[in-house]
Amino acid sequence: IDISKEGYHSWHHSLYLEGGEVERITYPTLFPTVLNPTGIRTFEGEIGFATQSPDRRWVILAGQNNLSSMIEYDLNEKVNEQPQSGELSLPGNLFTAADGDHKIKLVEWSTDNEHLLVKHSWESGNEFVMINRDKPGESFNLSRLLSKQPTDVAMIDKKFDQLFIYSSADKSLDKYDVGDRQLTNFAKNILSFKPHGSDRVLLSRTTSDKKIAEVVLLEGDKEYIIRDVPMASKIPLDIAQSDGDWYAAVSEVKQKRTYIYKNPQQLFVENPNTENVLTIILSNDTAIDDLSFSNNARFISSRSGQQFSIYDTEKDERFRYTIKDKFTGIPPSWMDGHRILAYSKGKVVVFEFSGTNKQTLVSADPSLPTFFDRDYTELYNINASTDSKNKHSFFQTQLRLEADR
C-alpha cells in the first residue's frame, strides 16, 4: 500500500491477506517534506523541566533551577495561531531550598489534567511534590507529609489523593490517603511494582531463595503468582488492558527475555479456557533497557539499545528490528498508539511499531520531551535559541500544509 500527497513524504506498508481476512489500517500519517519551526518564546537561560497533560492540552515549562514559577501553555486556545500562555506562581516553600543545581522530573499526571507529581532532586537529597496547575496555591510537598522517605510514588487509578508509597530501604509498599493523611501497609518484600486502575497491581517480590524473585498479580483480594525470575536490582514490569483482554509483561534484563501473559488470572480457575490464555516470549540480543505498552495498549515493546522486540496483541504478531540511528538524550517512547519517538543526532525521529516509515522531523534538545496537539497536527519542542546557545526557545511546527489545515 502506498499513500502519497504533494508536499508530504509518502507512506508505505506491506501486508499479506489470506482468503476471508479483513485488514483495517487506520493509523497512516503523512509528514510534510519541509518543516518550518517557529519560535514562540525565548527564555533567559535554559529550560530545566517540560511536560504535557494527558489530554495534550496543557504544556508546562520551567527554567533551569527555577523553583518558584512555571509557564503554562494552552494548546487549545490560540492568539495569532500561537497558544496562549500564563504564569504558574508556586508557593514559596513548596520545594526545599538548597545550594547548587536542582532537577525536577515528572513522575506522572493525574487523569484530571490538573495535578502532576514530580520528583525534585538536589545534591544532598530529593523529595516528591504534587503540583496543582489549575490552583497552584493548593500544591503540596508530599515528602513532608509522610513519616518515611519514599523511593518511588505512584498514583492509584491516576488519582492525585490516593497514592502508593514505596521504600527500597525496607522493601515496603504502602497506601497513602492524602485527605486523611493515613499511611497503611499494602505489601512487603517488594522489588518493583506497576499499578493499574483501583484494584490491580503487578509486582515482583523476594522469596526465601535469595537468587529468585516472583512476579505476582494482585487483583482485589486475590493473588496470582505468575512466574519466578532471576533476582535483579531492576525487574521491569507493565500491565494493561487491550480489547477486553489483560496483558501482564515482565522482563528478565540480563537474560534478554520478556514474558507476556494474556489473561494470566484465568490460569488459576478450575477449568481455564486456553483459547483466552497465551504466553508470549520476546527476545533481545543484549540486556533489556525498558518495557512499555503503546498509548492504545495494542503493542508491547521490549527495547535493548537500538533494538526493538514488539508484540501486536491485536494480530498476535511479533516484530524484531534495529534502528541504525544512534539514540541520544531521553530514551525512545511511544508517540501515540502506533509510533515511537526518539532523538538522534540532535533531531526528532519517529517510526512505526514495525520499524517502518521512519521520518526525521525537527532539531530538538534531546534532554527535553517533544509534544503534539490533540490531533497531532502541530509539534512543539524545545531547542537552543537561534540567537544564543545558552538560551532555550519553545518552538511550534505545523504538520499540515496551509491548504490542509
Side-chain angles (χ1 to χ4, degrees):
I1 300 174
D2 293 288
I3 302 176
S4 61
K5 185 172 183 177
E6 185 177 356
Y8 295 87
H9 291 287
S10 297
W11 183 88
H12 310 281
H13 180 71
S14 298
L15 70 157
Y16 179 83
L17 283 181
E18 293 187 359
E21 285 188 339
V22 176
E23 179 84 4
R24 295 178 178 85
I25 301 176
T26 61
Y27 59 88
T29 292
L30 302 185
F31 292 95
T33 54
V34 178
L35 295 172
N36 298 300
T38 300
I40 296 176
R41 176 173 178 169
T42 297
F43 290 76
E44 292 299 323
E46 296 183 352
I47 295 174
F49 175 70
T51 184
Q52 184 178 34
S53 60
D55 63 359
R56 298 196 298 278
R57 176 173 181 176
W58 309 98
V59 169
I60 296 177
L61 309 176
Q64 186 72 43
N65 296 322
N66 186 347
L67 303 179
S68 60
S69 66
M70 297 181 173
I71 302 298
E72 178 183 75
Y73 285 91
D74 184 350
L75 303 190
N76 288 5
E77 297 294 332
K78 304 288 181 63
V79 176
N80 296 325
E81 297 187 347
Q82 294 186 353
Q84 291 189 15
S85 64
E87 183 178 357
L88 299 181
S89 296
L90 302 173
N93 63 346
L94 180 63
F95 294 95
T96 296
D99 294 333
D101 289 332
H102 295 256
K103 182 179 180 180
I104 299 176
K105 181 181 179 181
L106 177 71
V107 178
E108 66 178 314
W109 276 82
S110 168
T111 48
D112 65 10
N113 297 292
E114 295 180 2
H115 294 86
L116 57 151
L117 178 65
V118 301
K119 185 176 184 180
H120 169 220
S121 305
W122 61 98
E123 184 178 0
S124 59
N126 61 77
E127 62 190 356
F128 290 88
V129 173
M130 189 71 72
I131 297 174
N132 185 331
R133 62 144 206 90
D134 188 49
K135 299 176 181 178
E138 296 183 7
S139 303
F140 58 89
N141 189 308
L142 175 63
S143 294
R144 293 178 194 155
L145 300 179
L146 298 171
S147 58
K148 62 195 305 183
Q149 176 65 21
T151 305
D152 292 303
V153 179
M155 296 182 188
I156 301 174
D157 201 21
K158 296 293 183 179
K159 291 181 170 57
F160 81 94
D161 56 354
Q162 301 293 320
L163 306 169
F164 275 124
I165 307 296
Y166 175 67
S167 171
S168 61
D170 59 7
K171 295 182 173 58
S172 65
L173 182 62
D174 302 316
K175 279 187 172 183
Y176 184 68
D177 187 305
V178 174
D180 296 338
R181 298 195 178 184
Q182 291 293 320
L183 187 71
T184 56
N185 183 254
F186 178 76
K188 298 179 180 180
N189 304 318
I190 305 305
L191 299 169
S192 59
F193 71 102
K194 185 74 174 183
H196 191 290
S198 60
D199 63 350
R200 286 181 178 84
V201 184
L202 184 67
L203 54 83
S204 63
R205 66 189 181 193
T206 61
T207 65
S208 57
D209 185 341
K210 295 183 179 180
K211 295 182 179 181
I212 298 295
E214 60 184 9
V215 177
V216 182
L217 173 62
L218 302 182
E219 197 172 79
D221 59 355
K222 297 179 180 180
E223 177 179 296
Y224 307 104
I225 299 177
I226 296 177
R227 73 173 289 107
D228 291 340
V229 296
M231 178 63 71
S233 58
K234 177 185 177 184
I235 302 178
L237 303 169
D238 212 344
I239 181 172
Q241 188 177 32
S242 177
D243 197 25
D245 293 309
W246 284 97
Y247 291 87
V250 55
S251 292
E252 296 180 354
V253 174
K254 293 182 179 180
Q255 287 70 28
K256 300 170 284 190
R257 291 188 299 267
T258 294
Y259 295 88
I260 302 168
Y261 296 88
K262 178 183 177 183
N263 298 318
Q265 63 273 39
Q266 292 188 18
L267 290 170
F268 298 86
V269 302
E270 186 174 348
N271 295 302
N273 183 350
T274 55
E275 291 183 0
N276 293 329
V277 180
L278 288 175
T279 301
I280 301 98
I281 302 175
L282 300 178
S283 63
N284 293 72
D285 291 337
T286 56
I288 295 170
D289 292 312
D290 53 55
L291 172 68
S292 63
F293 280 82
S294 61
N295 295 1
N296 59 3
R298 173 178 166 178
F299 302 97
I300 306 170
S301 169
S302 174
R303 181 184 68 86
S304 298
Q306 315 296 119
Q307 185 187 70
F308 293 82
S309 287
I310 291 182
Y311 176 67
D312 181 350
T313 64
E314 182 177 300
K315 299 190 65 181
D316 189 25
E317 291 183 346
R318 295 169 176 81
F319 302 89
R320 193 166 183 263
Y321 56 88
T322 298
I323 300 295
K324 294 182 180 180
D325 304 295
K326 185 177 180 179
F327 301 140
T328 56
I330 297 175
S333 60
W334 288 96
M335 168 185 155
D336 54 23
H338 296 84
R339 273 162 284 271
I340 295 171
L341 183 148
Y343 296 91
S344 179
K345 299 179 181 178
K347 300 276 189 178
V348 175
V349 177
V350 297
F351 48 92
E352 290 173 0
F353 58 89
S354 56
T356 57
N357 291 301
K358 183 172 72 69
Q359 301 289 342
T360 299
L361 303 182
V362 297
S363 298
D365 186 322
S367 67
L368 294 165
T370 293
F371 311 116
F372 298 85
D373 67 344
R374 182 188 61 190
D375 299 321
Y376 291 91
T377 60
E378 295 173 341
L379 179 152
Y380 295 86
N381 73 289
I382 299 119
N383 199 25
S385 170
T386 55
D387 300 326
S388 173
K389 292 184 178 179
N390 297 322
K391 296 181 180 180
H392 268 146
S393 291
F394 186 45
F395 290 91
Q396 175 189 35
T397 304
Q398 297 292 337
L399 298 180
R400 297 289 181 273
L401 299 184
E402 188 172 354
D404 299 325
R405 297 175 198 165

